[in-house]
Amino acid sequence: MDTPRFIPTHDTNISDSIELRPVFVQTGEQDELPKFRMPDGPSLAETAYQIVHDEAMLDGNARLNLATFVSTWMDDEARRLYAETVDKNMVDKDEYPQTAAIEDRCWKILADLWHAPEPTNTIGTSTIGSSEACMLGGLALKRRWQQKQKDAGKPYDKPNLVLSTAVQVCWEKFLNYFEVEPRWVPITEDHLVFEGQDLEKYCDENTIGVVAIMGVTYHGLYEPVLKISQALDALHEETGLDLQIHVDGASGAMIAPFCQPDLEWDFRVPRVASINTSGHKYGLVYPGVGWVIWRDTDALPESMVFHVSYLGGSMPTLALNFSRPGAQVLLQYYMFLRLGKEGFRQIQQSSLDVAQYLSSGIESLGPFELVSRGDTIEGDPFDGPVAMRLEVGGSWSTVGRTRRG
Ligand SMILES: Cc1ncc(COP(=O)(O)O)c(C=O)c1O
């Protein structure tokens, strides 16, 4: 029977059983197990291990993964910490109060790095990654808009969000799952990033906010948050619409603070309500941690915080997930202590340097018309550069185009 279109199938081997290689078969132990049914009885740990180990061995080498920009290497001390703390559940802040305290320290460190005006009045949380963090940022914008509409006795059933067509798929999920209409700003040759152009065409009184991407997934360029904010100021003056920005800094929010400290893209820009980043990208931690921070407690509606009592005391929880690993949060703190600002600067700068070295090499090959120099800031779009996505650990992918005409 054909697999229905919407069910992905990753098993390319059509056999419905798994055979253990003869060299690993233990005396008296079965050498074949069903693939899609739970075996009737237990196996030796060695047998189960060998099967899973051998399957995982067929994956690509993570260190050579160019695609997801996620950390694929941590040092031995980090691995030790990981092994020691892999059993901690981040949500259980009564059982693991020190992990909870360290989570708070981490988002406060990020709030400080991103120039939150009043660090004591800031609020943030770890998440499973930037996707969850973006959903929370988007939801806070939606909730705040709904409340404003309710207070004004206006309809609040047709929210829309302004964002560029180059957003990562997590924003399409947000729009789809939380029923928000997209107001897509197209990416064109004249506008390789969303720069706040034509806002009056896209915004109206149902607009919940605007997304700015710090490090567009496809070419690595930053969207100019300050320029977008200034365009929103002009819109405010002309129309009375007073809109806020969520910065999707999945990559760039862990690059700009170290390598472009004078670039105003963060809470220094007054319209920035919230920022997310992936701890597991340029936060340099293994997969499974993201962060979202709100400028102040006003930017996060209280209705998004739940209080659960069944784990002990009354515990506030603000996330889409409930249980998730605490180890990655501890690893994030380890990386902050281990590298400090100067360590992060050196690592991120060396990535930028390699990107720019490669881009100039690609440029000199001749046939490519380049989009960015791997320096993340848009110059003259057709003045030579190539777009680069950086990968910590020394792997790269490039986006270029063959020359027109
Ligand atoms: C701009 C941007 N936003 C969000 C995401 C989603 O991040 P995560 O994989 O941490 O969920 C990515 C991932 O590449 C991204 O580049």
Side-chain angles (χ1 to χ4, degrees), residues 227-241:
K227 199 168 165 191
I228 295 171
S229 178
Q230 286 162 347
L232 285 170
D233 290 343
L235 184 81
H236 187 194
E237 225 163 82
E238 280 161 31
T239 65
L241 294 172

Side-chain angles (χ1 to χ4, degrees), residues 68-69 129-131 134 168 170 213 215 217 248 250-251 278 280-281:
T68 58
F69 336 137
S130 271
S131 299
C134 290
Q168 209 260 0
C170 69
I213 319 166
T217 317
D248 178 356
S251 307
S278 295
H280 54 213
K281 292 193 177 92

Side-chain angles (χ1 to χ4, degrees), residues 306-357:
F306 290 80
H307 295 269
V308 293
S309 55
Y310 73 85
L311 295 172
S314 171
M315 189 195 308
T317 148
L318 156 67
L320 301 181
N321 280 74
F322 193 63
S323 299
R324 66 191 160 77
Q328 271 81 346
V329 167
L330 298 172
L331 287 183
Q332 184 73 83
Y333 190 52
Y334 167 77
M335 289 312 290
F336 289 163
L337 298 180
R338 165 90 179 85
L339 293 176
K341 290 180 186 164
E342 180 53 21
F344 270 100
R345 191 197 64 74
Q346 285 175 14
I347 290 177
Q348 319 299 40
Q349 189 58 51
S350 75
S351 296
L352 288 169
D353 290 347
V354 177
Q356 287 164 69
Y357 173 78

Side-chain angles (χ1 to χ4, degrees), residues 150-381:
K150 278 185 203 169
D151 292 347
K154 292 183 176 167
Y156 51 91
D157 58 342
K158 290 194 168 54
N160 68 65
L161 180 67
V162 175
L163 67 184
S164 106
T165 48
V167 289
Q168 209 260 0
V169 67
C170 69
W171 286 103
E172 295 180 55
K173 292 183 186 174
F174 168 74
L175 298 162
N176 179 323
Y177 299 165
F178 296 101
E179 300 186 340
V180 173
E181 179 201 331
R183 292 281 167 93
W184 296 118
V185 183
I187 293 306
T188 62
E189 289 192 356
D190 294 333
H191 293 288
L192 286 170
V193 292
F194 170 49
E195 302 176 283
Q197 70 270 22
D198 305 328
L199 276 173
E200 63 294 342
K201 255 174 43 193
Y202 303 106
C203 301
D204 57 28
E205 67 172 5
N206 289 327
T207 303
I208 64 173
V210 171
V211 174
I213 319 166
M214 279 287 289
V216 172
T217 317
Y218 303 96
H219 51 49
L221 292 168
Y222 295 162
E223 294 187 332
V225 180
L226 184 59
K227 199 168 165 191
I228 295 171
S229 178
Q230 286 162 347
L232 285 170
D233 290 343
L235 184 81
H236 187 194
E237 225 163 82
E238 280 161 31
T239 65
L241 294 172
D242 189 5
L243 296 173
Q244 292 197 311
I245 300 172
H246 173 88
V247 178
D248 178 356
S251 307
M254 288 308 285
I255 304 267
F258 310 111
C259 300
Q260 296 125 332
D262 297 330
L263 183 72
E264 291 185 39
W265 63 274
D266 51 15
F267 292 120
R268 282 169 288 184
V269 178
R271 288 189 183 276
V272 171
S274 45
I275 303 173
N276 69 275
T277 198
S278 295
H280 54 213
K281 292 193 177 92
Y282 299 98
L284 308 179
V285 174
Y286 283 138
V289 64
W291 300 96
V292 56
I293 319 269
W294 286 267
R295 162 182 293 278
D296 50 36
T297 45
D298 287 347
L300 176 72
E302 174 65 24
S303 63
M304 281 176 60
V305 181
F306 290 80
H307 295 269
V308 293
S309 55
Y310 73 85
L311 295 172
S314 171
M315 189 195 308
T317 148
L318 156 67
L320 301 181
N321 280 74
F322 193 63
S323 299
R324 66 191 160 77
Q328 271 81 346
V329 167
L330 298 172
L331 287 183
Q332 184 73 83
Y333 190 52
Y334 167 77
M335 289 312 290
F336 289 163
L337 298 180
R338 165 90 179 85
L339 293 176
K341 290 180 186 164
E342 180 53 21
F344 270 100
R345 191 197 64 74
Q346 285 175 14
I347 290 177
Q348 319 299 40
Q349 189 58 51
S350 75
S351 296
L352 288 169
D353 290 347
V354 177
Q356 287 164 69
Y357 173 78
L358 286 177
S359 76
S360 62
I362 290 168
E363 186 177 21
S364 67
L365 292 174
F368 295 105
E369 189 167 344
L370 308 172
V371 180
S372 114
R373 287 192 186 280
D375 54 4
T376 67
I377 310 231
E378 190 183 15
D380 176 353

